[in-house]
Amino acid sequence: MLKLYNTLIRKIEEFKPINPTHVGIYTCGPTVYREVHIGNFRTYLFSDFLRRIIEYNGYKVTHVKNITDVGHMRYLEGAGHHHGPIDPIIEEALKKGKTPQEIANYYTRLFQKDEEKLNIKKADIYPKASEHVREMIEIIKILLKKGLAYETDGTIYFNVRKFKKYGRLSGNTLDKMDNLLKAVHVSLETDKKESIDFALWKKAERDRLMKWESPWGDGFPGWHIECSAMSIKYLGDTLDIHTGGEDLIFPHHEDEIAQSEGASGRKFVNYWLHGGYLLVDNQKMSRSKGNVYTISDLERKRFDPLAFRYLTMMTHYKQKMNFTFEALSAAQTSLNRLREEVKNWDNPKIGCAEYEQRFLDAINNDLNMPEAIAIVWDLVKSNYPTTAKAESLFRMDEVLGLGFKKYQISSFDNASDKNIKYQKEEIPQSIKEMIEKREVLRKRKRYHLADQLRNKMKKMGYNVIDTKKGVEIRKIKRKD
Ligand SMILES: [Zn+2]
C-alpha cells in the first residue's frame, strides 16, 4: 500500500488514484531563461522518484511537466523593487539580442539534457505556456462570467474574497486576513480592488515582445493561470497528484486551486506533494553569494550527475537538504563502490524476497529513500549469491535510477561483434601466462606487442578487458 504525505490535509494517507490503473501527475516545470540550479533539480528528482515508485506499484503514469516561457514575472535580485517585476525571458532576450523564443528554446533544451544526465524519466508531455494561451483565456472568461474575476483597463484580476475556500493549502485563509496580507507580495499594482487579488491576465505595454490578442485587448497571461490551463487540458478537471517545491505552495499553488476550482466547480487536486528546500553550506542559495550551482558546475568539478541523484536520496524529500561538496564527494564514493560491487556479479536469477519486501515498504512509506538506500547496502553486504543480489538490485534500480546494470561485466554486449557474449569460466594456464606477459609488456609501455598478445588470446577464444581494478578475462561464447 502506497502512502503519501498530502500537503492539503497535512497528513500521510493511502494513495487511491481516480482511475484504478492509470495515474496522472502534474509537476510545475522550469522558467526557461537560465540554467536550472540544483535546488530545482532536487524537486524534479523527487517527482521522478515518485513517478517511478508509482510505476513500481504497477500503475501506468502520465506525467506532465510544463515549460514556463511567458508570464513568470520576477523581481530581479539586486535591482530593487522600485523597478517593478520584469519578465526574465524577455529581459534575457533583450540582453543577448535574441528573441524570447530563442532564449526559451535554448534553456528548455539545456534543462532536458540535464534531466537526462540525472536519469530523470522524460515527462510524457512538456507543454509550453506560450502555446496554451487560448486555453488560459477560456478559463479567465469563465471566471469573469462567474463573478470570480474582474477587469481593470485590460488587466484581469482574480477576486480572492469571492472564493471562500481560498487558503486551504497554505493556511493563508480569508478568516486570517492578517496572515494572508503578510504572505502576499507587496505589489505595485494599484488598480486592484484588494492587494490579496492576483493577476490572471495583464495588459501588454506598447512595445512588449510577447503578447496575445484577447477579448480585453493585447496582453499576456499570469504565471498561475498557465498551470491551471495546462494541467486541466492534459489530465482533466481533477488530477491525482500535483508536485512542486515547497516555495510554490503560496501563492502559486493556492492560486492554481482558486482558478481551477473556481472555473470547474470540482476538486482540482487529490494529492499535493511538495519537496523541501535545498541549502548550500547551510545557507540559502543566492546569486550574490555565488552559491547557486548547476549540473554543469558539478560536472566541471568532475562529479557524475548521478552522484547528485544519489545524494538527494540521502535526505527525505520533505526535509531541508544541506548540499555541500564534501557530501557530494561521499555520495560519489558510495556510488562508485556500488558500481564496483556490481561489476563482478553473475547474471540475475532468483532475487532476495526479504530485501525486496523491505525496499517496497520503505519506498511506499511516503518515499522513504534514505531507508531504501540503507536496504540496498544491506543487500549488497549480505551473504546472498550475486545472482540473487543482481536480480534484486536491478529491480530496485527501476526506482533508484542509478543505471547499475551497465556496470555488470557479464551483461556486456560486445560493441564490435554482436555475436560475442562474455561469461565467467575457468581460464587455462596458457592464457594466464599470456596475460602475465601482456601485463609486463604494458608496464614497459610496449603497447603494440601487448595488443598483439591480446589479439592472439581473442583468436584462442578469450577476451581481455582492462578495468580500473585490473584485467578481466572472459571466455568468448559464440551464439548458435
Ligand atoms: Zn505551476
Side-chain angles (χ1 to χ4, degrees):
M1 182 177 76
L2 175 57
K3 288 178 290 171
L4 301 171
Y5 181 89
N6 188 349
T7 310
L8 194 62
I9 58 163
R10 293 163 187 79
K11 267 201 285 235
I12 290 183
E13 61 177 344
E14 187 185 343
F15 174 64
K16 287 187 192 136
I18 302 162
N19 178 314
T21 57
H22 200 140
V23 176
I25 305 175
Y26 186 87
T27 297
C28 288
T31 303
V32 281
Y33 67 104
R34 63 184 177 199
E35 267 187 88
V36 173
H37 60 61
I38 55 172
N40 293 133
F41 275 119
R42 184 198 178 198
T43 305
Y44 298 129
L45 281 163
F46 132 65
S47 302
D48 186 56
F49 294 130
L50 173 67
R51 179 220 174 124
R52 287 166 177 268
I53 287 169
I54 290 172
E55 287 174 338
Y56 198 79
N57 279 276
Y59 299 104
K60 275 195 83 161
V61 169
T62 298
H63 193 184
V64 179
K65 192 180 287 175
N66 69 298
I67 300 291
T68 298
D69 57 356
V70 66
H72 191 179
M73 309 298 280
R74 291 201 156 167
Y75 289 93
L76 269 196
E77 197 181 343
H81 284 188
H82 57 280
H83 290 294
I86 54 107
D87 187 319
I89 298 170
I90 294 179
E91 196 75 0
E92 190 65 17
L94 292 171
K95 221 162 69 191
K96 298 257 167 76
K98 303 255 161 104
T99 67
Q101 256 66 45
E102 284 171 330
I103 294 294
N105 290 343
Y106 175 76
Y107 286 108
T108 302
R109 274 198 301 275
L110 265 189
F111 167 68
Q112 288 170 331
K113 261 192 214 159
D114 281 349
E115 279 205 321
E116 225 171 89
K117 287 175 187 170
L118 291 167
N119 208 10
I120 293 174
K121 280 194 176 184
K122 265 195 164 64
D124 299 276
I125 309 162
Y126 287 99
K128 290 179 182 170
S130 63
E131 291 170 2
H132 294 79
V133 175
R134 198 172 45 84
E135 287 86 343
M136 298 180 215
I137 290 174
E138 285 312 308
I139 295 180
I140 297 170
K141 277 192 201 162
I142 296 170
L143 293 172
L144 280 166
K145 212 163 123 192
K146 286 189 164 181
L148 287 164
Y150 57 91
E151 183 194 343
T152 312
D153 185 29
T155 291
I156 317 287
Y157 291 106
F158 190 93
N159 192 335
V160 170
R161 250 183 220 286
K162 289 274 173 73
F163 187 71
K164 299 292 175 219
K165 287 188 291 182
Y166 191 85
R168 278 193 317 175
L169 183 71
S170 61
N172 297 321
T173 46
L174 288 165
D175 59 334
K176 294 178 194 140
M177 197 42 98
D178 289 350
N179 290 346
L180 179 51
L181 278 169
K182 254 186 251 163
V184 292
H185 212 296
V186 178
S187 142
L188 297 179
E189 294 153 327
T190 49
D191 51 351
K192 296 180 187 179
K193 283 186 184 161
E194 279 204 74
S195 52
I196 54 172
D197 295 345
F198 59 90
L200 300 166
W201 183 264
K202 289 196 173 190
K203 184 183 182 171
E205 320 85 84
R206 192 175 261 287
D207 51 357
R208 189 186 158 88
L209 287 173
M210 280 193 289
K211 57 187 171 189
W212 287 262
E213 283 175 17
S214 82
W216 322 287
D218 283 358
F220 61 98
W223 173 39
H224 316 308
I225 191 70
E226 69 172 67
C227 284
S228 288
M230 294 189 280
S231 57
I232 288 173
K233 173 168 181 179
Y234 294 105
L235 297 169
D237 284 340
T238 305
L239 329 179
D240 287 308
I241 301 177
H242 194 314
T243 74
E246 68 176 323
D247 54 320
L248 297 187
I249 295 174
F250 191 88
H252 186 53
H253 290 163
E254 198 69 80
D255 292 351
E256 278 186 39
I257 295 175
Q259 299 161 155
S260 308
E261 299 193 358
S264 77
R266 296 198 185 93
K267 189 180 184 188
F268 177 43
V269 171
N270 284 338
Y271 301 87
W272 282 96
L273 270 74
H274 291 99
Y277 288 106
L278 178 139
L279 302 173
V280 172
D281 297 320
N282 273 316
Q283 289 186 308
K284 228 186 129 188
M285 273 194 286
S286 90
R287 285 181 200 269
S288 54
K289 282 188 212 135
N291 65 355
V292 181
Y293 296 111
T294 61
I295 298 306
S296 44
D297 289 331
L298 307 188
E299 285 182 303
R300 267 192 291 277
K301 290 178 187 279
R302 307 219 167 263
F303 288 103
D304 180 339
L306 290 182
F308 180 67
R309 185 181 175 100
Y310 184 100
L311 182 61
T312 64
M313 289 188 234
M314 306 299 286
T315 308
H316 189 268
Y317 78 90
K318 280 208 313 284
Q319 308 293 320
K320 273 197 185 78
M321 169 179 163
N322 184 32
F323 174 88
T324 64
F325 279 102
E326 292 75 52
L328 184 61
S329 288
Q332 181 79 67
T333 304
S334 302
L335 182 60
N336 293 348
R337 241 179 242 163
L338 285 173
R339 287 170 174 170
E340 281 297 316
E341 285 283 345
V342 167
K343 208 171 74 182
N344 296 312
W345 285 359
D346 293 313
N347 280 330
K349 271 184 200 147
I350 297 154
C352 325
E354 174 208 346
Y355 287 102
E356 286 186 26
Q357 186 57 49
R358 281 174 59 199
F359 181 84
L360 183 66
D361 291 344
I363 58 174
N364 278 358
N365 180 18
D366 194 30
L367 284 63
N368 192 342
M369 299 307 288
E371 187 168 340
I373 283 286
I375 293 161
V376 164
W377 278 102
D378 286 351
L379 165 74
V380 168
K381 289 175 182 162
S382 73
N383 293 323
Y384 277 94
T386 65
T387 54
K389 291 183 188 180
E391 173 67 24
S392 293
L393 182 68
F394 295 164
R395 196 164 146 59
M396 294 170 184
D397 204 23
E398 288 166 26
V399 171
L400 307 172
L402 293 168
F404 286 125
K405 216 175 223 165
K406 68 174 186 225
Y407 288 89
Q408 189 201 16
I409 288 173
S410 65
S411 72
F412 274 15
D413 252 337
N414 189 299
S416 57
D417 185 349
K418 284 269 177 248
N419 292 322
I420 297 174
K421 276 217 158 185
Y422 306 102
Q423 282 194 336
K424 272 194 171 168
E425 293 276 354
E426 274 294 305
I427 310 294
Q429 190 57 33
S430 59
I431 293 290
K432 282 181 184 164
E433 281 168 15
M434 287 169 82
I435 295 289
E436 278 169 29
K437 197 173 169 193
R438 179 172 169 272
E439 282 310 288
V440 173
L441 287 168
R442 269 155 50 87
K443 275 189 192 122
R444 292 179 186 167
K445 300 201 191 315
R446 309 286 296 272
Y447 296 116
H448 180 67
L449 293 174
D451 282 349
Q452 277 183 358
L453 263 185
R454 185 215 288 258
N455 288 339
K456 193 170 172 189
M457 285 184 274
K458 193 165 183 175
K459 276 183 193 142
M460 292 168 72
Y462 290 88
N463 231 342
V464 182
I465 307 155
D466 295 308
T467 71
K468 269 190 210 157
K469 248 190 173 177
V471 185
E472 307 274 348
I473 318 301
R474 294 278 181 272
K475 185 167 184 173
I476 300 169
K477 208 174 187 181
R478 302 261 167 210
K479 269 189 193 162
D480 294 323

PDB file of all heavy atoms in Angstrom, residues 8-25:
ATOM      1  N   LEU A   8      -2.336  19.133   1.467  1.00  0.00           N
ATOM      2  CA  LEU A   8      -3.696  19.664   1.627  1.00  0.00           C
ATOM      3  C   LEU A   8      -4.300  19.302   2.977  1.00  0.00           C
ATOM      4  O   LEU A   8      -4.993  20.110   3.588  1.00  0.00           O
ATOM      5  CB  LEU A   8      -4.582  19.128   0.490  1.00  0.00           C
ATOM      6  CG  LEU A   8      -5.929  19.799   0.285  1.00  0.00           C
ATOM      7  CD1 LEU A   8      -5.770  21.273  -0.071  1.00  0.00           C
ATOM      8  CD2 LEU A   8      -6.697  19.093  -0.828  1.00  0.00           C
ATOM      9  N   ILE A   9      -4.051  18.083   3.464  1.00  0.00           N
ATOM     10  CA  ILE A   9      -4.621  17.689   4.758  1.00  0.00           C
ATOM     11  C   ILE A   9      -3.539  17.561   5.834  1.00  0.00           C
ATOM     12  O   ILE A   9      -3.824  17.211   6.973  1.00  0.00           O
ATOM     13  CB  ILE A   9      -5.407  16.363   4.645  1.00  0.00           C
ATOM     14  CG1 ILE A   9      -4.508  15.240   4.109  1.00  0.00           C
ATOM     15  CG2 ILE A   9      -6.638  16.510   3.757  1.00  0.00           C
ATOM     16  CD1 ILE A   9      -5.069  13.855   4.350  1.00  0.00           C
ATOM     17  N   ARG A  10      -2.291  17.842   5.434  1.00  0.00           N
ATOM     18  CA  ARG A  10      -1.148  17.818   6.366  1.00  0.00           C
ATOM     19  C   ARG A  10      -1.021  16.473   7.071  1.00  0.00           C
ATOM     20  O   ARG A  10      -0.775  16.398   8.265  1.00  0.00           O
ATOM     21  CB  ARG A  10      -1.267  18.955   7.389  1.00  0.00           C
ATOM     22  CG  ARG A  10      -1.115  20.320   6.742  1.00  0.00           C
ATOM     23  CD  ARG A  10      -1.609  21.460   7.586  1.00  0.00           C
ATOM     24  NE  ARG A  10      -1.567  22.703   6.835  1.00  0.00           N
ATOM     25  CZ  ARG A  10      -2.475  23.077   5.933  1.00  0.00           C
ATOM     26  NH1 ARG A  10      -3.498  22.279   5.655  1.00  0.00           N
ATOM     27  NH2 ARG A  10      -2.361  24.208   5.274  1.00  0.00           N
ATOM     28  N   LYS A  11      -1.198  15.411   6.310  1.00  0.00           N
ATOM     29  CA  LYS A  11      -1.147  14.051   6.872  1.00  0.00           C
ATOM     30  C   LYS A  11      -0.667  13.075   5.800  1.00  0.00           C
ATOM     31  O   LYS A  11      -0.833  13.335   4.606  1.00  0.00           O
ATOM     32  CB  LYS A  11      -2.565  13.601   7.266  1.00  0.00           C
ATOM     33  CG  LYS A  11      -2.961  13.870   8.690  1.00  0.00           C
ATOM     34  CD  LYS A  11      -4.121  12.954   9.102  1.00  0.00           C
ATOM     35  CE  LYS A  11      -5.423  13.400   8.494  1.00  0.00           C
ATOM     36  NZ  LYS A  11      -6.486  13.640   9.439  1.00  0.00           N
ATOM     37  N   ILE A  12      -0.156  11.954   6.285  1.00  0.00           N
ATOM     38  CA  ILE A  12       0.138  10.850   5.374  1.00  0.00           C
ATOM     39  C   ILE A  12      -1.148  10.064   5.170  1.00  0.00           C
ATOM     40  O   ILE A  12      -1.850   9.766   6.139  1.00  0.00           O
ATOM     41  CB  ILE A  12       1.240   9.948   5.953  1.00  0.00           C
ATOM     42  CG1 ILE A  12       2.584  10.699   5.935  1.00  0.00           C
ATOM     43  CG2 ILE A  12       1.350   8.642   5.174  1.00  0.00           C
ATOM     44  CD1 ILE A  12       3.758   9.882   6.425  1.00  0.00           C
ATOM     45  N   GLU A  13      -1.481   9.755   3.945  1.00  0.00           N
ATOM     46  CA  GLU A  13      -2.682   8.957   3.700  1.00  0.00           C
ATOM     47  C   GLU A  13      -2.436   7.965   2.580  1.00  0.00           C
ATOM     48  O   GLU A  13      -1.489   8.094   1.812  1.00  0.00           O
ATOM     49  CB  GLU A  13      -3.883   9.857   3.371  1.00  0.00           C
ATOM     50  CG  GLU A  13      -3.695  10.710   2.138  1.00  0.00           C
ATOM     51  CD  GLU A  13      -4.928  11.531   1.792  1.00  0.00           C
ATOM     52  OE1 GLU A  13      -6.015  11.235   2.309  1.00  0.00           O
ATOM     53  OE2 GLU A  13      -4.790  12.454   0.975  1.00  0.00           O
ATOM     54  N   GLU A  14      -3.305   6.980   2.504  1.00  0.00           N
ATOM     55  CA  GLU A  14      -3.186   5.972   1.454  1.00  0.00           C
ATOM     56  C   GLU A  14      -3.472   6.605   0.102  1.00  0.00           C
ATOM     57  O   GLU A  14      -4.399   7.414  -0.031  1.00  0.00           O
ATOM     58  CB  GLU A  14      -4.193   4.841   1.717  1.00  0.00           C
ATOM     59  CG  GLU A  14      -4.016   3.674   0.772  1.00  0.00           C
ATOM     60  CD  GLU A  14      -5.100   2.608   0.956  1.00  0.00           C
ATOM     61  OE1 GLU A  14      -5.780   2.620   2.002  1.00  0.00           O
ATOM     62  OE2 GLU A  14      -5.263   1.786   0.041  1.00  0.00           O
ATOM     63  N   PHE A  15      -2.680   6.230  -0.898  1.00  0.00           N
ATOM     64  CA  PHE A  15      -2.885   6.769  -2.235  1.00  0.00           C
ATOM     65  C   PHE A  15      -3.923   5.946  -2.994  1.00  0.00           C
ATOM     66  O   PHE A  15      -3.755   4.748  -3.179  1.00  0.00           O
ATOM     67  CB  PHE A  15      -1.567   6.787  -3.008  1.00  0.00           C
ATOM     68  CG  PHE A  15      -1.730   7.201  -4.445  1.00  0.00           C
ATOM     69  CD1 PHE A  15      -2.168   8.478  -4.770  1.00  0.00           C
ATOM     70  CD2 PHE A  15      -1.454   6.309  -5.476  1.00  0.00           C
ATOM     71  CE1 PHE A  15      -2.332   8.860  -6.093  1.00  0.00           C
ATOM     72  CE2 PHE A  15      -1.612   6.678  -6.804  1.00  0.00           C
ATOM     73  CZ  PHE A  15      -2.053   7.960  -7.112  1.00  0.00           C
ATOM     74  N   LYS A  16      -4.984   6.622  -3.415  1.00  0.00           N
ATOM     75  CA  LYS A  16      -6.007   5.963  -4.228  1.00  0.00           C
ATOM     76  C   LYS A  16      -6.237   6.791  -5.485  1.00  0.00           C
ATOM     77  O   LYS A  16      -6.808   7.870  -5.407  1.00  0.00           O
ATOM     78  CB  LYS A  16      -7.323   5.857  -3.444  1.00  0.00           C
ATOM     79  CG  LYS A  16      -7.286   4.822  -2.346  1.00  0.00           C
ATOM     80  CD  LYS A  16      -8.673   4.662  -1.727  1.00  0.00           C
ATOM     81  CE  LYS A  16      -8.581   3.860  -0.444  1.00  0.00           C
ATOM     82  NZ  LYS A  16      -9.383   4.436   0.644  1.00  0.00           N
ATOM     83  N   PRO A  17      -5.792   6.281  -6.631  1.00  0.00           N
ATOM     84  CA  PRO A  17      -5.956   7.071  -7.860  1.00  0.00           C
ATOM     85  C   PRO A  17      -7.407   7.083  -8.345  1.00  0.00           C
ATOM     86  O   PRO A  17      -8.201   6.224  -7.969  1.00  0.00           O
ATOM     87  CB  PRO A  17      -5.067   6.333  -8.861  1.00  0.00           C
ATOM     88  CG  PRO A  17      -4.958   4.940  -8.350  1.00  0.00           C
ATOM     89  CD  PRO A  17      -5.129   4.990  -6.863  1.00  0.00           C
ATOM     90  N   ILE A  18      -7.726   8.078  -9.163  1.00  0.00           N
ATOM     91  CA  ILE A  18      -9.078   8.198  -9.707  1.00  0.00           C
ATOM     92  C   ILE A  18      -9.362   6.998 -10.609  1.00  0.00           C
ATOM     93  O   ILE A  18     -10.384   6.339 -10.491  1.00  0.00           O
ATOM     94  CB  ILE A  18      -9.221   9.512 -10.510  1.00  0.00           C
ATOM     95  CG1 ILE A  18      -8.902  10.717  -9.600  1.00  0.00           C
ATOM     96  CG2 ILE A  18     -10.618   9.632 -11.126  1.00  0.00           C
ATOM     97  CD1 ILE A  18      -8.601  11.999 -10.352  1.00  0.00           C
ATOM     98  N   ASN A  19      -8.417   6.729 -11.518  1.00  0.00           N
ATOM     99  CA  ASN A  19      -8.502   5.555 -12.384  1.00  0.00           C
ATOM    100  C   ASN A  19      -7.679   4.451 -11.729  1.00  0.00           C
ATOM    101  O   ASN A  19      -6.540   4.692 -11.345  1.00  0.00           O
ATOM    102  CB  ASN A  19      -7.928   5.939 -13.763  1.00  0.00           C
ATOM    103  CG  ASN A  19      -7.915   4.789 -14.745  1.00  0.00           C
ATOM    104  OD1 ASN A  19      -7.510   3.667 -14.409  1.00  0.00           O
ATOM    105  ND2 ASN A  19      -8.323   5.059 -15.964  1.00  0.00           N
ATOM    106  N   PRO A  20      -8.247   3.248 -11.551  1.00  0.00           N
ATOM    107  CA  PRO A  20      -7.538   2.223 -10.768  1.00  0.00           C
ATOM    108  C   PRO A  20      -6.206   1.768 -11.358  1.00  0.00           C
ATOM    109  O   PRO A  20      -5.411   1.153 -10.647  1.00  0.00           O
ATOM    110  CB  PRO A  20      -8.538   1.057 -10.724  1.00  0.00           C
ATOM    111  CG  PRO A  20      -9.541   1.327 -11.783  1.00  0.00           C
ATOM    112  CD  PRO A  20      -9.580   2.809 -11.984  1.00  0.00           C
ATOM    113  N   THR A  21      -5.952   2.050 -12.634  1.00  0.00           N
ATOM    114  CA  THR A  21      -4.707   1.559 -13.228  1.00  0.00           C
ATOM    115  C   THR A  21      -3.807   2.659 -13.775  1.00  0.00           C
ATOM    116  O   THR A  21      -2.654   2.411 -14.087  1.00  0.00           O
ATOM    117  CB  THR A  21      -5.001   0.594 -14.404  1.00  0.00           C
ATOM    118  OG1 THR A  21      -5.817   1.281 -15.357  1.00  0.00           O
ATOM    119  CG2 THR A  21      -5.727  -0.648 -13.926  1.00  0.00           C
ATOM    120  N   HIS A  22      -4.331   3.850 -13.884  1.00  0.00           N
ATOM    121  CA  HIS A  22      -3.587   4.900 -14.592  1.00  0.00           C
ATOM    122  C   HIS A  22      -3.568   6.178 -13.758  1.00  0.00           C
ATOM    123  O   HIS A  22      -4.607   6.697 -13.396  1.00  0.00           O
ATOM    124  CB  HIS A  22      -4.246   5.152 -15.952  1.00  0.00           C
ATOM    125  CG  HIS A  22      -3.341   5.818 -16.924  1.00  0.00           C
ATOM    126  ND1 HIS A  22      -3.296   5.476 -18.251  1.00  0.00           N
ATOM    127  CD2 HIS A  22      -2.427   6.812 -16.776  1.00  0.00           C
ATOM    128  CE1 HIS A  22      -2.403   6.228 -18.881  1.00  0.00           C
ATOM    129  NE2 HIS A  22      -1.853   7.046 -17.995  1.00  0.00           N
ATOM    130  N   VAL A  23      -2.351   6.685 -13.468  1.00  0.00           N
ATOM    131  CA  VAL A  23      -2.196   7.837 -12.577  1.00  0.00           C
ATOM    132  C   VAL A  23      -1.706   9.050 -13.357  1.00  0.00           C
ATOM    133  O   VAL A  23      -0.808   8.938 -14.193  1.00  0.00           O
ATOM    134  CB  VAL A  23      -1.178   7.502 -11.464  1.00  0.00           C
ATOM    135  CG1 VAL A  23      -0.920   8.715 -10.573  1.00  0.00           C
ATOM    136  CG2 VAL A  23      -1.680   6.317 -10.638  1.00  0.00           C
ATOM    137  N   GLY A  24      -2.290  10.209 -13.073  1.00  0.00           N
ATOM    138  CA  GLY A  24      -1.832  11.462 -13.683  1.00  0.00           C
ATOM    139  C   GLY A  24      -1.046  12.289 -12.672  1.00  0.00           C
ATOM    140  O   GLY A  24      -1.476  12.456 -11.533  1.00  0.00           O
ATOM    141  N   ILE A  25       0.112  12.783 -13.102  1.00  0.00           N
ATOM    142  CA  ILE A  25       0.940  13.638 -12.235  1.00  0.00           C
ATOM    143  C   ILE A  25       1.262  14.925 -12.985  1.00  0.00           C
ATOM    144  O   ILE A  25       1.668  14.885 -14.151  1.00  0.00           O
ATOM    145  CB  ILE A  25       2.288  12.975 -11.861  1.00  0.00           C
ATOM    146  CG1 ILE A  25       2.074  11.602 -11.226  1.00  0.00           C
ATOM    147  CG2 ILE A  25       3.088  13.874 -10.914  1.00  0.00           C
ATOM    148  CD1 ILE A  25       3.375  10.854 -10.943  1.00  0.00           C
TER     149      ILE A  25
END
